[in-house]
């Protein structure tokens, strides 16, 4: 494996691993806060048990997320020193703020875990909410930096160097709002569906558990709202991508020829030699409408972009289709869940609906990983869009395949450890929390 590919693969594995924990770290404390608040309002033990159980899960994910996030920070400097030499003075501010938010999150989580029966109840709840708020801020700051790589701003590029630096304009670049909103909604949808699906499975296996019933409903309610809002966010982000990164949009849609009234393809496989999509279902003029809000708008195709500036078309197109497909399925289940919640709530406990929710458990994280593949691979061959190519930013150090393999093994080990810890946590639920036991009359 070439050093450039090894460096890119290591970043892909690290980011793909870390993003799961970062997303859970952003969304899970809010699930916890809802349950905690309901305990304070109703005094029902099930909500206290649920808050305690989820807070232990948050602690596990936070610890592993901190490790993988630290590794990513080192990798940016070690694998891409030429990029960081120029980017550091421009985009260092959001990274420093992200560090501050991370410390606040760690302090708040420690206080929350230690504060049971020691802090006043509402102060304790507020500390738990602070865990979520600082986690969200941390995520937004990191996305600001990534958005800058897609939509560079706040500097003048002169003789291969960044000058006249304005860190505020760099941080609040044209893409930061759209990307941040899309990422936050993705995190809440993925976590809500994953947690809700897991409790749906446990409720199906142990009918009558009040603990799993309430957990399933809280988690899926939050995930459903996010899943229904996500298409609106995606539409706004796609329109921004059409203006700022036409090559990425063209790769997402496998759109080869510049044309007005461009069709949107559902599915299919790009044929780069023939400049067409095979086996896809075309929807006439829809790409023009989705990209520019006009059925007759002209959409730039890859044929008008120099060949050496094309992103890898097939993986970007496939990842985009997977993301949209998973998101659409989640939105459909979300609509059904909200309908049943308001009109037929008793059906939420039906075995068929619990099975459907359980099947949806991984969908959000599949969409999340596919979405980041579109974001990162779709920016290639640039590490800083339009200014610095990825191949020019990589370290000259040889033998990068070895740290790639070592990091991959470490992440695999961490994943196994997390899986084992969560399995133990789930198995101990009935012992630690009386409300997790099935009610009388149920097996």
């Amino acid at each position: 494996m070439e050093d450039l590919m090894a460096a890119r693969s290591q970043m892909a594995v690290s980011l793909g691993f870390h993003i799961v924990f970062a997303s859970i770290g952003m969304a899970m404390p809010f699930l916890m806060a809802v349950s905690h608040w309901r305990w304070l309002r109703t005094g029902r033990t099930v909500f206290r048990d649920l808050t305690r159980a989820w807070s232990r899960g948050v602690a596990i994910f936070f610890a592993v997320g901190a490790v993988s996030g630290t590794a990513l920070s080192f990798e940016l400097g070690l694998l891409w020193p030429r990029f960081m030499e120029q980017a550091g003075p421009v985009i260092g501010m959001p990274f420093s703020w992200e560090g501050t938010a991370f410390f606040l999150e760690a302090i708040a989580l420690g206080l929350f875990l230690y504060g049971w029966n020691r802090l006043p109840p509402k102060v304790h709840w507020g500390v738990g909410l602070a865990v979520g708020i600082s986690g969200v801020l941390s995520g937004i700051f990191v996305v600001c930096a990534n958005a800058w790589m897609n939509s560079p701003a706040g500097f003048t590029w002169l003789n291969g160097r960044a000058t006249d630096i304005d860190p505020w304009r760099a941080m609040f670049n044209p893409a930061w709002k759209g990307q941040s909103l899309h990422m936050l909604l993705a995190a809440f949808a993925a976590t809500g569906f994953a947690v809700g699906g897991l409790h749906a499975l446990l409720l199906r296996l142990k009918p009558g558990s009040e603990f799993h019933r309430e957990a399933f409903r809280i988690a899926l309610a939050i995930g459903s709202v996010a899943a229904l809002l996500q298409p609106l966010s995606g539409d706004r982000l796609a329109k921004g991508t059409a203006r700022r990164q036409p090559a990425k949009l063209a790769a997402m849609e496998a759109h080869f020829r510049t044309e007005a009234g461009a069709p949107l393809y559902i599915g299919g496989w790009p044929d780069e030699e023939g400049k067409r999509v095979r086996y896809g279902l075309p929807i006439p003029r829809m790409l023009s409408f989705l990209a520019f809000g006009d059925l007759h708008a002209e959409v730039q195709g890859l044929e008008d972009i120099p060949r050496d500036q094309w992103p890898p078309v097939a993986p970007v197109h496939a990842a985009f289709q997977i993301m949209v497909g998973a998101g659409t399925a989640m939105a459909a289940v979300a609509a059904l869940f909200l309908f049943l919640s308001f009109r037929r709530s008793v059906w939420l406990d039906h075995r068929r609906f619990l099975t459907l929710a359980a099947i949806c458990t991984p969908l959000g994280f599949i969409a999340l990983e596919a979405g980041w593949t579109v974001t990162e691979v779709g920016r290639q061959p640039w590490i800083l869009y339009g200014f610095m190519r990825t191949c020019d930013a990589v370290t000259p150090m040889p033998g990068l395949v070895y740290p790639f393999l070592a990091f991959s093994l470490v992440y695999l080990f961490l994943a196994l450890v997390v899986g084992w810890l969560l399995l133990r946590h789930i198995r101990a639920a009935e012992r630690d929390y009386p409300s997790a036991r099935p009610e009388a009359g149920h097996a």
Side-chain angles (χ1 to χ4, degrees):
M1 179 182 284
E2 293 181 354
D3 286 334
L4 175 60
M5 182 53 69
R8 288 180 59 190
S9 299
Q10 184 173 333
M11 286 299 295
V13 170
S14 298
L15 184 60
F17 184 84
H18 177 69
I19 199 170
V20 173
F21 296 88
S23 298
I24 293 172
M26 283 191 281
M28 197 70 201
F30 288 94
L31 273 65
M32 202 169 70
V34 170
S35 176
H36 197 173
W37 181 252
R38 294 187 69 178
W39 175 53
L40 295 179
R41 292 294 300 272
T42 66
R44 290 175 60 192
T45 306
V46 61
F47 294 118
R48 183 201 61 193
D49 290 349
L50 196 50
T51 308
R52 282 180 177 271
W54 278 348
S55 66
R56 290 183 183 179
V58 167
I60 294 171
F61 283 106
F62 179 85
V64 179
V67 172
S68 56
T70 304
L72 265 174
S73 302
F74 282 113
E75 287 172 358
L76 275 174
L78 293 173
L79 296 176
W80 314 104
R82 293 166 180 165
F83 167 69
M84 290 306 295
E85 180 185 357
Q86 302 304 319
V90 186
I91 206 64
M93 189 166 69
F95 281 124
S96 64
W97 287 11
E98 190 271 339
T100 303
F102 171 75
F103 285 128
L104 292 175
E105 184 182 3
I107 292 168
L109 181 58
L111 284 173
F112 185 82
L113 294 173
Y114 179 77
W116 285 103
N117 303 321
R118 294 183 176 88
L119 293 174
K122 289 189 178 178
V123 173
H124 190 217
W125 175 81
V127 169
L129 190 62
V131 177
I133 293 172
S134 51
V136 165
L137 289 176
S138 179
I140 289 175
F141 294 142
V142 170
V143 172
C144 282
N146 181 268
W148 177 77
M149 296 166 70
N150 293 319
S151 181
F155 65 92
T156 300
W157 195 252
L158 188 62
N159 298 324
R161 303 187 68 83
T163 61
D164 298 330
I165 293 168
D166 182 344
W168 290 97
R169 280 193 59 217
M171 179 171 169
F172 298 112
N173 58 77
W176 82 274
K177 282 184 186 175
Q179 273 197 232
S180 296
L181 180 62
H182 202 58
M183 179 64 226
L184 289 180
L185 289 173
F188 278 85
T191 304
F193 268 74
V195 175
L198 180 60
H199 284 287
L201 176 63
L202 294 170
L203 184 59
R204 196 180 186 288
L205 296 173
K206 296 182 181 297
S209 168
E210 188 182 16
F211 178 91
H212 293 307
R213 182 187 299 114
E214 296 296 344
F216 160 63
R217 295 188 180 197
I218 291 173
L220 204 54
I222 292 177
S224 294
V225 172
L228 288 173
L229 292 175
Q230 188 66 308
L232 302 176
S233 161
D235 177 67
R236 176 179 174 175
L237 190 59
K239 285 181 168 58
T241 302
R243 293 194 305 273
R244 294 186 292 268
Q245 294 180 282
K248 178 186 284 186
L249 180 78
M252 288 159 58
E253 300 289 354
H255 182 62
F256 291 99
R257 304 185 192 285
T258 299
E259 59 183 317
L264 175 77
Y265 279 90
I266 297 177
W269 189 255
D271 176 1
E272 296 188 34
E273 295 302 320
K275 293 183 172 53
R276 59 178 176 168
V277 178
R278 293 181 179 272
Y279 318 119
L281 175 64
I283 302 178
R285 303 182 186 280
M286 190 53 66
L287 179 56
S288 291
F289 180 75
L290 291 177
F292 297 103
D294 180 353
L295 290 170
H296 304 286
E298 182 177 277
V299 181
Q300 185 177 8
L302 287 164
E303 66 177 5
D304 284 344
I305 297 169
R307 187 65 181 83
D308 66 346
Q309 295 182 21
W310 286 21
V313 179
V316 173
H317 178 71
F320 182 67
Q321 296 289 323
I322 291 171
M323 180 188 71
V324 172
T328 302
M330 290 168 66
V333 174
L336 178 60
F337 171 79
L338 294 177
F339 172 77
L340 293 179
S341 297
F342 288 106
R343 303 300 296 269
R344 299 284 191 277
S345 62
V346 68
W347 289 7
L348 292 176
D349 292 339
H350 195 281
R351 292 173 63 86
R352 288 183 179 176
F353 187 75
L354 293 176
T355 301
L356 176 64
I359 290 172
C360 290
T361 300
L363 275 186
F365 285 104
I366 291 173
L368 195 70
E369 297 286 0
W372 273 98
T373 300
V374 172
T375 300
E376 296 302 297
V377 180
R379 193 182 56 244
Q380 302 304 316
W382 305 99
I383 190 170
L384 180 60
Y385 189 74
F387 292 93
M388 181 183 290
R389 288 176 179 266
T390 307
C391 61
D392 296 328
V394 70
T395 175
M397 187 184 85
L400 294 182
V401 68
Y402 300 109
F404 161 56
L405 294 174
F407 270 82
S408 299
L409 289 174
V410 169
Y411 287 134
L412 177 61
F413 173 74
L414 284 175
L416 292 174
V417 169
V418 171
W420 175 68
L421 288 173
L422 290 178
L423 192 58
R424 283 192 60 188
H425 188 46
I426 291 170
R427 285 176 173 170
E430 290 187 20
R431 181 197 66 202
D432 296 341
Y433 311 110
S435 60
R437 298 165 193 157
E439 295 171 350
H442 290 278

